[in-house]
């Protein structure tokens, strides 16, 4: 009877504790060294064996109940405290950008938007894939089998081995989005996939993280002429020139056959690059007709469908267009650099309104 009223009393106190300090005081007063329950435990020693067994069992039960109630109350108080904190730390992300603010739009974001605008106008949708990829999508399905030298050239960042021996990796190019898109949709397919890519490489022209844009078209009658036209339209729109000469050089990529690297003409005017004039050549992208093995890996019948693909360095074309000399500066988050090369936040590129 006495224990029952003690229990009710303690549980009331637990429920009434309004913060963690008050709750701790209840714990010390009951389960602490000199606490009410601990003191009763000590008195067991003076009892006879029968009495001790019964009283001991009842006390242990009470002790467990109180400990449980304390833990539950503690959790509830912590959750409430977090909830209250989250409410006070709320920020309104829909507030308008201050035009006179510190930051500007990063050239990569700007060029990303420009590219999406241009290809969107040509009927391309934007596709995405994860940065953490598996070997199948990044290599094997792209016709790069395990011993292929292209695997070494890619300087891949691998994750630790999984129990089954496989290793995830940071995608080394945006090409795995080709596979993901084919597996997830039916032709006709017309997509671009801008995104981050990773290679273990670092100097003036290479950073461990960089951006690429992939293009993929799969249809029944798509041919090289379409590829050339699309790339020519893109170059003229992107570099904002009426004409640009293009040179298609035979090359080799495992995922295309035939493969071509594309150069555009340029000249220098006082240290500045002028694209579309002169007779010097700049390489800007890799491309080709999608290899039948790749189409098959994408779950599509290469006997019925064919298409083209291309891949470009997004950072690289940003450097060319805006005359930015050092790739590494893109990722240094230097505000002075951003103010120099950045773009006004409210000036969104559109074909109608002008890209820049
Ligand atoms: N994935 C290649 C790279 O990272 C670029 C590339 C070349 C993509 C040719 C393509 C292509 O889709 O057809 O170097």
């Amino acid at each position: 009877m006495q224990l029952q009223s003690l229990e009710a009393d303690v549980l009331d106190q637990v429920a009434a504790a309004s913060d963690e300090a008050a709750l701790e005081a209840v714990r010390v007063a009951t389960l602490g060294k000199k606490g009410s329950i601990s003191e009763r435990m000590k008195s067991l020693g003076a009892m006879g064996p029968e009495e001790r067994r019964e009283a001991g069992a009842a006390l242990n039960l009470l002790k467990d109940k109180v400990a449980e109630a304390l833990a539950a109350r503690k959790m509830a108080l912590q959750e409430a405290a977090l909830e209250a904190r989250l409410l006070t730390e709320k920020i309104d992300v829909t507030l308008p950008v201050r035009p006179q603010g510190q930051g500007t739009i990063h050239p990569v974001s700007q060029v990303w938007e420009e590219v999406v605008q241009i290809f969107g106008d040509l009927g391309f949708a934007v596709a995405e894939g994860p940065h953490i990829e598996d070997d199948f999508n990044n290599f094997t399905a792209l016709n790069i089998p395990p011993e292929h030298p292209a695997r070494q050239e890619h300087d891949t960042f691998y994750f630790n081995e999984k129990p089954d021996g496989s290793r995830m990796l940071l995608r080394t190019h945006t090409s795995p989005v080709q596979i993901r898109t084919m597996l997830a949709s039916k032709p006709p397919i017309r997509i671009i996939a801008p995104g981050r890519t990773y290679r273990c490489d670092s100097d003036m022209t290479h950073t461990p993280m960089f951006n690429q844009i992939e293009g993929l078209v799969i249809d029944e009658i798509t041919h090289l002429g379409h590829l050339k036209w699309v790339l020519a339209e893109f170059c003229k729109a992107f570099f904002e020139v009426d004409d640009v000469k293009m040179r298609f050089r035979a090359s080799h990529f495992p995922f295309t056959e035939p493969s071509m690297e594309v150069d555009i003409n340029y000249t220098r005017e006082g240290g500045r690059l002028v694209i579309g004039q002169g007779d010097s050549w700049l390489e800007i992208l890799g491309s080709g007709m999608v290899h039948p093995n790749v189409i098959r890996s994408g779950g599509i019948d290469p006997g019925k469908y064919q298409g083209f693909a291309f891949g470009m360095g997004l950072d690289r074309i940003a450097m060319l267009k805006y005359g930015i000399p050092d790739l590494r500066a893109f990722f240094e988050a230097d505000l002075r650099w951003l103010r120099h090369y950045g773009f006004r936040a409210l000036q969104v590129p559109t074909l109608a309104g002008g890209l820049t």
Side-chain angles (χ1 to χ4, degrees):
M1 208 47 220
Q2 220 189 1
L3 277 193
Q4 266 173 19
S5 70
L6 177 63
E7 175 179 328
D9 188 34
V10 172
L11 293 183
D12 279 351
Q13 288 178 37
V14 170
S18 58
D19 56 30
E20 286 196 60
L23 192 65
E24 176 61 9
V26 178
R27 190 192 66 80
V28 171
T30 51
L31 304 179
K33 252 195 199 133
K34 295 210 159 64
S36 50
I37 297 177
S38 309
E39 288 296 343
R40 266 162 230 255
M41 286 284 194
K42 283 179 207 159
S43 68
L44 290 175
M47 295 177 185
E50 265 304 297
E51 198 189 356
R52 186 187 311 147
R53 193 176 311 128
E54 232 173 81
L59 266 178
N60 270 326
L61 207 65
L62 173 61
K63 197 174 138 188
D64 289 348
K65 258 194 198 162
V66 170
E68 212 173 283
L70 283 167
R73 182 72 188 144
K74 186 167 180 175
M75 181 111 80
L77 286 172
Q78 281 172 345
E79 269 171 22
L82 179 65
E83 202 54 43
R85 208 180 121 199
L86 287 178
L87 277 178
T88 62
E89 288 180 3
K90 187 166 64 173
I91 57 159
D92 183 355
V93 294
T94 65
L95 284 174
V97 192
R98 276 171 298 172
Q100 301 307 320
Q102 296 284 298
T104 55
I105 298 295
H106 194 284
V108 168
S109 307
Q110 170 76 18
V111 163
W112 184 309
E113 284 304 322
E114 291 176 22
V115 166
V116 167
Q117 283 293 323
I118 296 168
F119 281 106
D121 192 53
L122 293 173
F124 284 70
V126 174
E128 284 181 319
H131 298 189
I132 298 177
E133 261 298 0
D134 56 24
D135 188 275
F136 176 78
N137 287 306
N138 196 80
F139 291 124
T140 308
L142 288 163
N143 200 32
I144 312 177
E147 298 313 320
H148 198 285
R151 290 199 183 219
Q152 271 78 57
E153 284 157 29
H154 277 215
D155 294 315
T156 315
F157 286 113
Y158 283 101
F159 287 83
N160 292 339
E161 254 182 38
K162 294 203 274 197
D164 66 5
S166 67
R167 287 187 296 177
M168 299 299 278
L169 49 88
L170 288 176
R171 67 178 182 192
T172 59
H173 48 179
T174 42
S175 303
V177 183
Q178 290 190 25
I179 304 299
R180 290 183 173 272
T181 304
M182 284 191 276
L183 288 172
S185 50
K186 286 199 179 71
I189 291 170
R190 218 175 285 132
I191 58 111
I192 54 162
R196 291 186 177 191
T197 47
Y198 306 83
R199 286 184 205 180
C200 188
D201 200 356
S202 186
D203 58 36
M204 265 278 280
T205 51
H206 297 91
T207 50
M209 193 278 287
F210 56 107
N211 294 279
Q212 282 192 339
I213 168 173
E214 193 78 14
L216 175 71
V217 172
I218 300 284
D219 206 342
E220 289 181 42
I221 53 149
T222 307
H223 55 67
L224 265 181
H226 297 130
L227 165 64
K228 291 177 82 169
W229 183 82
V230 164
L231 293 178
E233 286 303 300
F234 166 74
C235 286
K236 284 189 283 183
F238 180 73
F239 291 108
E240 299 177 89
V241 292
D242 292 333
D243 205 12
V244 57
K245 283 189 213 146
M246 303 182 86
R247 184 166 73 173
F248 289 76
R249 259 185 305 111
S251 180
H252 178 78
F253 299 106
F255 25 88
T256 45
E257 183 58 40
S259 303
M260 288 154 301
E261 278 172 308
V262 178
D263 303 335
I264 53 174
N265 71 319
Y266 79 100
T267 186
R268 261 177 216 286
E269 260 172 30
R272 208 170 59 88
L273 281 188
V274 186
I275 307 276
Q277 287 177 34
D279 48 16
S280 304
W281 297 102
L282 260 177
E283 183 199 322
I284 59 155
L285 60 91
S287 65
M289 298 304 294
V290 183
H291 197 291
N293 289 351
V294 175
I295 298 184
R296 198 174 296 114
S297 299
I300 294 173
D301 176 8
K304 183 164 179 217
Y305 292 98
Q306 57 181 14
F308 63 82
F310 55 88
M312 258 183 295
L314 201 65
D315 314 309
R316 181 168 158 75
I317 61 170
M319 290 167 79
L320 293 177
K321 179 166 179 180
Y322 294 112
I324 302 169
D326 188 345
L327 176 66
R328 291 172 296 195
F330 276 88
F331 309 106
E332 276 168 0
D334 182 338
L335 206 50
R336 287 165 304 174
W337 181 87
L338 199 55
R339 287 202 191 114
H340 183 74
Y341 288 109
F343 296 84
R344 280 194 291 135
L346 299 176
Q347 198 170 34
V348 180
T350 64
L351 286 183
L355 285 179
T356 48

